[in-house]
Structures are given as C-alpha cells and as structure tokens.
C-alpha cells in the first residue's frame, strides 16, 4: 500500500520546478514528418517536394483538409525550406524518395500568426468497424485479412489526417461481441460492448452498400464523448466511400478539438481542482500533463491541501474547448458540479476560485 506524501511540506521552488516539466501525454507521432517521391536530388525538385510536404503537415496540424487553398498560407508554402529541420534520400524499387522533417515550433508560430486552427496532437483514438453488402456476395463484415489493400489505403489516409485509428481483429471475441446484424444496424450498445478490449476514445461504424455495378453508398456513425454523428457518402467504388468515412470523422473530431487563436482572443485564468493526488509521483505526472496541454499557455500552482491541488490554467480558448481537451485523458474523472449558491440564488462562474473545475486523478 502506498504511503500518501504530504506535498505541502515540499519546498515551493521544487514544486514550481516540477510544474514546468513536460507532460507525458498520449500523442500522435510523426505529425511533422513526410515522405515525398522525387525525380532527382536536384534543388528544384527538393524545393517543390518541401512545399508539398509542408502543405501535408499543415493539414495534419490544423485538421483542415483544404488548408492548402487558404491564400494566407501560400507565402509560407513558397518558403517551405525555411521550415525543414532535416531531410534525407532513400531509394526503393527504383524510386527516389525524400524524407522531410519539419520544425514543430516554427510551424506552430505560423499557425498562430495566420490565425489558423490548431488541433492538439493528443487526439481521440478511433476504432473503425465496417460491414459491406455487395451484389455478388451479399452482406459480410469487412476484415483486414480479406481486403488488405483497402485497409492499407484507409490507414494511409488516417496518417495523412493525423487521426489515430485501429481496426478490430475480428476474431471469435469480436464476432461474438459485434455480430454482423448489430454492426449493420450500427447498434451503439454493441459498439460499447465490443470496444472494451480496445479502449477507444471514439468509435466509427460504417455500412457500405453496392447499389449497382459502379455505384456505392455508405452510412457512417461516429460515437464520441456521449454524442453520435451520422453522415452519408456515395461514390464509384467501395474504396471511395470508405475513405470518405475516415475523412469526415477526422473533420468532425478536428472541429471539436481544434483551437483557433485570433488577434481578439483574451487570455483568462481557469481554476482547476484535482483530487486523488496521493503521492509525489501523482503530483509530478498530473503537473506535467496540465503544463503540456495545447490549449493552455501556462499552469500556476495555487495551493495543495491533503490529496487536492489547485492550479490556475491560463488559456485563450473557450471553457468547453478546455473541458474537451481534459476529457481525452482517461486518468481524469470529472466530478459533480458543486458550485455553491448563495441566498440570492447567485452561483459563481464555472472555472472561478469559488467554483473551480473539479476532477479526480485515478
């Protein structure tokens, strides 16, 4: 059994030093790295590839698939080599490839300067279930082992959008927990039951229907954060309607979590109270996480009392954006709203010292 550590007895300088440490958040890797096919090692080809690669990075970072058409971004793309951190060449199957790594801080500065959305790299892991109904074979579950090319294309698109996805293995456990009929019906209870072994933050369910020899239709359902989003797609192939499902899911999640800064944004302090801080290790990990939040510009320790710590989070984001970001950390459990109401019926604003955001660290 762990012995609780009374954090209030620690030197304040040490506590502030810990608060400044980077967080150990679950993040999407390689947002700033791309590979471009090039015809030669020449400067002209490298310059063109750097511009194409930088546009792909901005798509991932902003969550906006059409960001390349934004006129404000064009001057940045024309000077793409300024943002290249490193590059190297590689040849595979007689094709020359250029591996490019871009400077994250420089790109973040441009996102802020151009007032573009910033999708933090701590993103919802999404479990994707799909069923198909073809004219020749009827209805079945889409399995990776049966359609390896399709799943490879979907995985590549997810990487391009910066969306972490996972596909069920469809073994006997998955078949029992997610029968074909419930998958086709897009049963949300079945999705919750079948997803337990994978622990996703979001679930995407798709049913793909071949309506004629060259026409396809798909119905998609994205389940995340207690909400459901339904959308449709149509196209000339199964691959096309499947790709549109991944794209639309990325759009929806980016719209929810992307933070947009502008010249009129005002910094504000939100008070957060965190219980369950039973040891110095808990304190260190929680402090790191809060300091690293993309929607937070600074985190200042206010007080420690027993297993509770209070922190002032400085942010220019809306309170809902901050709460959405906090909801992605499974170690944080939102607590019941206990804001006091005085005799006149007044309740202090949520996030104030009198009515802080309350979470439990688990």
């Amino acid at each position: 059994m762990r012995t609780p550590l009374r954090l209030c007895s620690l030197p304040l300088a040490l506590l502030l030093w810990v608060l400044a440490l980077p967080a150990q958040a679950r993040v999407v890797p390689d947002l700033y790295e791309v590979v471009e096919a090039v015809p030669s090692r020449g400067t002209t080809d490298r310059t063109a590839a750097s511009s194409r690669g930088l546009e792909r990075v901005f798509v991932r970072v902003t969550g906006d698939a059409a960001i390349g058409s934004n006129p404000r971004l064009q001057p940045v793309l024309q000077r793409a080599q300024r943002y290249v951190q490193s590059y190297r060449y590689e040849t595979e199957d007689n094709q020359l490839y250029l591996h490019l790594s871009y400077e994250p801080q420089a790109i973040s500065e441009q996102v802020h300067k151009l007032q573009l959305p910033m999708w933090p790299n701590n993103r919802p892991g999404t479990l994707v279930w799909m069923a198909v109904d073809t004219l020749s074979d009827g209805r079945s579950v889409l399995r990776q082992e049966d359609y390896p090319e399709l799943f490879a294309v979907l995985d590549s698109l997810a990487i391009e959008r910066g969306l972490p996805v996972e596909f069920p293995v469809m073994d006997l456990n998955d078949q029992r927990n997610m029968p074909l009929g419930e998958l086709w019906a897009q049963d949300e209870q079945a999705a919750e039951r079948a997803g337990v072994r994978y622990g996703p933050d979001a679930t995407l369910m798709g049913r793909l229907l071949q309506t004629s020899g060259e026409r396809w239709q798909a119905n998609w359902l994205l389940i995340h954060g207690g909400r459901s989003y339904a959308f449709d797609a149509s196209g000339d192939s199964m691959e096309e309607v499947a790709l549109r499902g991944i794209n639309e899911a990325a759009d929806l999640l980016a719209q929810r979590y992307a933070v947009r800064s502008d010249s009129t944004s005002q910094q504000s302090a939100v008070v957060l109270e965190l219980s369950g801080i039973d040891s110095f290790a808990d304190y260190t990990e929680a402090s790191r996480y809060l300091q690293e939040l993309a929607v937070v510009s600074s985190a200042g320790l206010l007080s420690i009392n027993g297993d509770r710590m209070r922190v002032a989070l400085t942010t220019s984001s809306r309170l809902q954006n901050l709460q959405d970001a906090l909801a992605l950390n499974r170690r944080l459990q939102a607590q019941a709203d206990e804001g006091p109401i005085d005799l006149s019926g007044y309740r202090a604003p949520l996030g104030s010292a009198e009515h802080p955001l309350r979470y439990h660290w688990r």
Side-chain angles (χ1 to χ4, degrees):
M1 180 177 180
R2 292 185 303 178
T3 301
L5 177 64
R6 291 191 175 277
L7 300 177
C8 54
S9 64
L10 294 171
L12 180 59
L14 178 59
L15 292 177
L16 295 177
W17 173 78
V18 170
L19 198 61
L21 292 174
Q24 293 179 334
R26 183 181 61 83
V27 299
V28 179
D30 305 331
L31 285 178
Y32 300 90
E33 297 181 8
V34 300
V35 179
E36 286 283 336
V38 291
S40 76
R41 296 173 181 256
T43 302
T44 301
D45 290 330
R46 187 172 70 248
T47 299
S50 298
S51 180
R52 295 194 303 270
L54 184 58
E55 181 178 344
R56 291 167 61 189
V57 168
F58 270 98
V59 168
R60 297 173 184 171
V61 169
T62 64
D64 183 355
I67 196 67
S69 62
N70 189 320
R72 287 179 292 174
L73 189 60
Q74 295 308 308
V76 177
L77 298 180
Q78 292 168 6
R79 303 189 303 271
Q81 292 199 82
R82 294 186 180 184
Y83 304 94
V84 175
Q85 190 175 57
S86 63
Y87 68 88
R88 62 182 175 85
Y89 290 96
E90 183 179 68
T91 301
E92 183 177 338
D93 296 330
N94 295 320
Q95 173 63 59
L96 183 64
Y97 293 97
L98 176 61
H99 293 250
L100 293 154
S101 178
Y102 295 87
E103 174 55 53
Q105 184 59 39
I107 291 175
S108 296
E109 290 172 358
Q110 287 300 318
V111 168
H112 181 76
K113 179 180 178 181
L114 299 175
Q115 300 176 16
L116 302 175
M118 169 65 83
W119 189 7
N121 58 358
N122 186 12
R123 301 180 179 184
T126 304
L127 181 64
V128 184
W129 302 86
M130 294 181 292
V132 62
D133 193 343
T134 66
L135 296 176
S136 58
D137 299 324
R139 192 173 297 176
S140 63
V141 175
L142 271 178
R143 306 167 188 265
Q144 196 162 2
E145 61 187 38
D146 298 329
Y147 296 88
E149 296 86 359
L150 172 64
F151 280 81
V153 171
L154 294 177
D155 199 47
S156 295
L157 176 61
I159 292 173
E160 287 303 303
R161 296 302 309 271
L163 179 65
V165 300
E166 184 176 7
F167 302 103
V169 296
M170 293 313 302
D171 58 9
L172 291 177
N173 284 332
D174 284 342
Q175 294 174 42
R176 180 176 61 253
N177 292 323
M178 180 64 83
L180 175 58
E182 295 183 3
L183 173 54
W184 192 261
Q186 297 182 334
D187 188 312
E188 296 189 32
Q189 291 185 343
E192 182 178 359
R193 180 179 64 246
V196 169
R197 68 184 298 193
Y198 299 100
D201 299 301
T203 298
L204 180 63
M205 306 174 74
R207 54 188 181 208
L208 286 58
L209 175 66
Q210 185 180 22
T211 57
S212 67
E214 297 181 353
R215 292 299 297 172
W216 286 77
Q217 180 178 328
N219 307 113
W220 292 94
L221 183 69
L222 177 66
I223 307 167
H224 175 61
R227 308 176 195 175
S228 299
Y229 309 84
F231 54 94
D232 301 323
S234 59
D236 297 331
S237 67
M238 179 170 63
E239 179 180 301
E240 182 179 350
V241 295
L243 287 170
R244 290 183 63 181
I246 298 292
N247 250 330
E248 184 69 19
D251 288 342
L252 288 168
L253 292 170
Q255 289 167 15
R256 177 167 181 179
Y257 290 104
V259 179
R260 184 183 294 273
S261 62
D262 56 53
S263 57
T264 62
S265 296
Q266 298 294 320
Q267 294 277 326
S268 61
V270 176
V271 178
L272 180 144
E273 182 177 279
L274 196 56
S275 61
I277 307 300
D278 296 324
S279 68
F280 187 71
D282 287 339
Y283 177 82
T284 302
E285 187 175 354
S287 299
R288 283 174 171 170
Y289 166 71
L290 294 172
Q291 185 70 28
E292 183 71 8
L293 277 172
V295 296
V296 170
S297 57
S298 67
L301 178 67
L302 295 177
S303 64
I304 298 177
N305 184 11
D307 74 335
R308 296 176 182 268
M309 61 182 284
R310 280 199 173 199
V311 178
L313 305 177
T314 303
T315 179
S316 58
S317 300
R318 295 180 304 157
L319 184 62
Q320 186 61 57
N321 285 121
L322 175 60
Q323 290 174 301
D324 285 343
L326 293 170
L328 286 177
N329 190 325
R330 296 182 188 177
R331 294 205 62 183
L332 287 176
Q333 181 178 15
Q335 300 297 286
D337 186 356
E338 299 176 354
I341 302 176
D342 64 19
L343 294 177
S344 66
Y346 171 77
R347 172 177 285 179
L350 184 61
S352 64
E354 297 80 13
H355 189 187
L357 294 178
R358 287 187 168 90
Y359 290 85
H360 182 76
W361 186 257
R362 54 183 179 178

